[in-house]
Amino acid sequence: MLCFLLTGCAYEVIHFPTENSPSYASNNASVSSLPASGYHRVESGETLFSIAFRYGLDYRELAALNHIDAPYIIYPKQKIRLGENKANSSQRVADKATNKASKAVNNRPKVAVKSKVTASTKTYKKDTKPLVKVKAWSWPVDGKVVRGFSNTGVSSKGIDIKGTQGALVKAAADGTVVYAGSGLIGYGNLVIVKHNEVYLSAYAYNERILVKEQQNVRAGDSLAVIGGKGNDRPLLHFEVRRDGQPINPQDILPKR
C-alpha cells in the first residue's frame, strides 16, 4: 500500500538526488506526455496523486477512470489507465468510420437493443458548483522569484524562488501531504500537499523532506529543507495545480 497512515516525528528522505542523478535530468520541471499505451505501471513509492501530477491530470478523474475510491490506495505493478493518447484516439476514429461504412453495405433490418450501463462507463464529472477556494495562501519560502511561470512547451509549470541556505520550506496553505519522495524525474525530493478537492501544491528540489504522506499540515508548517538543482542553490521550485492543471502561483499568493 502506497497511501497509508503514518505517525511519529519528522524524518529525512534517505535518497538525496544530486545534479548528476536522474531526478535532475531536466532543467525545467514539466508535465510528462501520456505513454503510447495509455497506461502507467505503478512503481514503489508512487501514489495516485503523484501519478496524476506527473501527467497533468485531475486525480479525481484518474480515480474514476480506474474505479479507485478514496483513500485512493494503489499497489506496485498495478496498471493505471491514463486515457487515450492522440494516436490511439485517431485510430479509434478511423476504426469507427470503417465500421460505419461496413454497416451501410449491410442493409438488413436492425433490432434495437437496450444498452446496459456497466462499471466500465464510470466517469468523473466536474462539479458545476462555484470553484472551491483555499482560505488563505502564503509564500512557501522567503526569497526572490528568479524564474516565472509559463504554461507552454516544456517550460516551468511553476516558479523558482531563490532562498537562503538552510531555509525551511513551509506549507502554502492548510492541507494533507499526499506525496513525499523522489520518484518524479525533474523534481528531486518532492512534497505534494492536497488543500481541498480542487487545489494541490508542490515543493520540489528539497535537500531533505520533513513530513510523511497522510500527515495533516497547517499553513506555515515546515515541509522540507530548501535544496536546489545543479548550481542553483538554495532554490525552491513551487507549483500549484487546479483540477490537475498548472496555474501561476503568483496569481494566488499574497502580493509582495
Side-chain angles (χ1 to χ4, degrees):
M1 265 194 333
L2 300 182
C3 290
F4 54 89
L5 208 46
L6 293 170
T7 59
C9 37
Y11 75 104
E12 297 181 1
V13 168
I14 296 175
H15 172 62
F16 300 106
T18 64
E19 59 188 286
N20 296 318
S21 70
S23 292
Y24 287 92
S26 170
N27 285 330
N28 301 321
S30 58
V31 175
S32 299
S33 57
L34 265 61
S37 66
Y39 287 86
H40 175 87
R41 183 77 68 174
V42 178
E43 297 181 7
S44 179
E46 290 184 314
T47 69
L48 186 77
F49 294 90
S50 69
I51 294 171
F53 186 89
R54 174 176 178 174
Y55 296 105
L57 303 173
D58 188 327
Y59 73 91
R60 296 167 296 179
E61 293 180 351
L62 194 60
L65 190 61
N66 291 277
H67 317 297
I68 301 172
D69 297 323
Y72 310 117
I73 296 169
I74 58 175
Y75 305 89
K77 298 184 179 180
Q78 181 178 349
K79 283 179 69 175
I80 299 295
R81 184 183 174 190
L82 304 172
E84 291 184 299
N85 64 14
K86 292 181 180 179
N88 289 342
S89 181
S90 298
Q91 184 60 49
R92 181 164 295 203
V93 170
D95 290 343
K96 283 184 178 179
T98 302
N99 292 337
K100 192 173 182 179
S102 298
K103 287 179 181 179
V105 173
N106 189 346
N107 244 346
R108 289 178 299 177
K110 297 180 181 179
V111 178
V113 179
K114 189 175 182 180
S115 62
K116 293 182 179 180
V117 177
T118 65
S120 62
T121 63
K122 182 181 179 182
T123 56
Y124 168 75
K125 293 183 179 180
K126 281 190 172 66
D127 258 334
T128 54
K129 298 176 183 177
L131 181 66
V132 179
K133 295 183 178 180
V134 172
K135 186 176 180 181
W137 291 96
S138 59
W139 285 81
V141 71
D142 290 329
K144 178 182 179 182
V145 175
V146 293
R147 183 178 181 86
F149 175 84
S150 174
N151 204 15
T152 58
V154 294
S155 298
S156 173
K157 302 302 181 182
I159 58 176
D160 288 352
I161 307 171
K162 188 75 172 179
T164 57
Q165 191 66 39
L168 294 174
V169 175
K170 308 293 185 67
D174 297 352
T176 302
V177 177
V178 292
Y179 180 76
S182 57
L184 273 73
I185 293 178
Y187 286 91
N189 282 325
L190 172 69
V191 176
I192 300 176
V193 176
K194 173 190 172 186
H195 301 293
N196 54 34
E197 295 302 307
V198 174
Y199 285 98
L200 301 175
S201 61
Y203 313 76
Y205 310 140
N206 300 296
E207 184 65 30
R208 297 195 306 276
I209 294 176
L210 304 175
V211 289
K212 300 179 180 181
E213 288 172 10
Q214 295 303 308
Q215 181 176 331
N216 292 326
V217 294
R218 302 297 298 271
D221 284 353
S222 298
L223 303 176
V225 177
I226 195 170
K229 53 178 182 177
N231 295 322
D232 294 330
R233 294 172 178 272
L235 181 137
L236 171 70
H237 177 75
F238 178 64
E239 296 189 16
V240 175
R241 300 283 176 97
R242 183 171 63 204
D243 289 329
Q245 298 302 305
I247 64 171
N248 188 348
Q250 290 182 280
D251 287 344
I252 57 175
L253 290 171
K255 301 301 179 185
R256 283 181 169 176

